[in-house]
């Protein structure tokens, strides 16, 4: 036990563990990128289940007005959330919309979010207190350690929101990188004589290699167009789930085409051009911000190495000259 405590209190060992965790995360990320095909199949299967759910809900509404499909979530997290009434205690009016934007649907992800938002502050607080007051205090006074423990609890409270925001940002980026190409494919399908449902379904199958998230959203849009009572609701749902001005403009154009009978091909051509310009402007914005972001890494990592490479031969020559002169 004393050996374990000595190991955990050694800063060098902690740094080694941190490097090991980072290397493992890098390998896990590379391995996950190689399994995109399997991930696409799972996502498409989930969307297919969503289509079946919409179909059953539609049939239930026809047979019994006012009734719908009932979701169930009987895990222990659901019981804890209900017993402690966390949905009221930690109420967030936008959490359902954010979960949809992150790609999580149904009651189970929402229950998981509330559960971790309640439990993580206590977990972080207990871990920080146990480490700072038992294993290693780093020479800090008591009040500083108490402050660090409370800060860890605050991080635990906001960690689910940070994870959700990061997930939304990555998903939105993935969708918008492939969205102009999807509009081009959709335009080709529509001008070839396909209906809008068939065109969206075809594009969702073809665009999966470029963006799994966009393929999932288009497949879900096709299902909602088939089973929702109002097609406008399907387009508005797509705009809310993506929360991007380019997708919102396309959804508005499709709604107008459905309502007023305006030519859809011309609207799709214009929207594809606008979204391509949005993607290009986003890339230019990142490129313009790159020099400012590289300033600190260059000062910390490149310049010291450059000075070492330039000055080391001169220092060696000076030392040799002084040794010969002595």
């Amino acid at each position: 036990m004393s050996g374990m405590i000595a190991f955990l209190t050694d800063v060098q060992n902690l740094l080694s563990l941190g490097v090991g965790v980072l290397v493992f995360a890098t390998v896990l990320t590379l391995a996950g990128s190689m399994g995109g095909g399997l991930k696409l199949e799972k996502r498409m299967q989930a969307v297919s289940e969503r289509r079946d759910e919409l179909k059953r809900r539609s049939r239930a509404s026809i047979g019994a007005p006012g009734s719908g499909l009932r979701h169930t979530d009987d895990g222990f997290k659901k019981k804890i959330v209900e017993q402690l009434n966390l949905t009221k205690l930690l109420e967030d009016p936008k959490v359902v919309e954010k979960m949809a934007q992150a790609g999580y649907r149904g009651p189970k992800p929402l229950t998981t979010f509330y559960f971790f938002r309640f439990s993580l502050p206590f977990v972080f607080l207990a871990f920080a207190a146990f480490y700072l007051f038992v294993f290693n205090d780093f020479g800090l006074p008591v009040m500083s350690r108490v402050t660090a423990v409370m800060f860890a609890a605050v991080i635990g409270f906001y960690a689910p929101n940070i994870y959700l925001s990061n997930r939304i940002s990555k998903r939105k980026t993935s969708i918008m990188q492939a969205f102009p190409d999807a509009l081009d494919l959709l335009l080709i399908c529509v001008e070839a004589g396909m209906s809008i449902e068939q065109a969206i379904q075809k594009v969702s199958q073809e665009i999966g290699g470029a963006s799994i998230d966009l393929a999932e959203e288009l497949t879900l849009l096709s299902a909602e167009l088939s089973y929702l009572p109002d097609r406008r609701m399907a387009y508005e749902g797509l705009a809310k789930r993506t929360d991007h001005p380019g997708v919102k403009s396309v959804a508005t154009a499709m709604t107008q085409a459905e309502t007023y009978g305006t030519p859809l091909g011309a609207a799709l051509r214009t929207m594809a051009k606008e979204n391509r310009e949005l993607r290009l402007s986003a890339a230019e914005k990142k490129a313009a911000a790159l020099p400012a972001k590289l300033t600190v890494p260059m000062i910390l990592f490149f310049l010291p190495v450059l000075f070492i490479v330039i000055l080391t031969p001169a220092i060696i020559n000076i030392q040799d000259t002084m040794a010969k002169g002595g």
Side-chain angles (χ1 to χ4, degrees), residues 38-54:
L38 296 176
K39 187 177 180 181
L40 176 60
E41 294 178 359
K42 293 181 179 179
R43 299 284 283 275
M44 292 300 102
Q45 182 180 0
V47 174
S48 178
E49 294 175 356
R50 172 66 174 171
R51 186 191 298 114
D52 296 337
E53 173 188 329
L54 290 172

Side-chain angles (χ1 to χ4, degrees), residues 15-35:
L15 291 176
S16 301
L17 288 175
V19 172
V21 170
L22 293 176
V23 172
F24 177 75
T26 303
V27 173
L28 189 63
T29 302
L30 295 175
S33 63
M34 296 178 182

Side-chain angles (χ1 to χ4, degrees), residues 175-176 179 183 238-239 242-253 271-272 274-276 278:
I175 290 175
M176 294 316 302
F179 191 64
L183 289 180
L238 175 66
T242 54
D243 191 28
H244 191 276
V247 182
K248 290 180 180 179
S249 61
V250 171
T252 303
M271 294 301 167
E274 291 180 356
N275 281 272
R276 197 176 294 107
L278 284 175

Side-chain angles (χ1 to χ4, degrees), residues 57-69:
R57 182 182 299 176
S58 178
R59 290 177 177 176
S61 63
I62 294 174
S67 63
L69 184 65

Side-chain angles (χ1 to χ4, degrees), residues 252-271:
T252 303
M254 288 185 174
T255 303
Q256 292 177 352
E258 292 281 348
T259 305
Y260 303 108
T262 57
L264 186 58
L268 287 175
R269 186 178 288 106
T270 303
M271 294 301 167

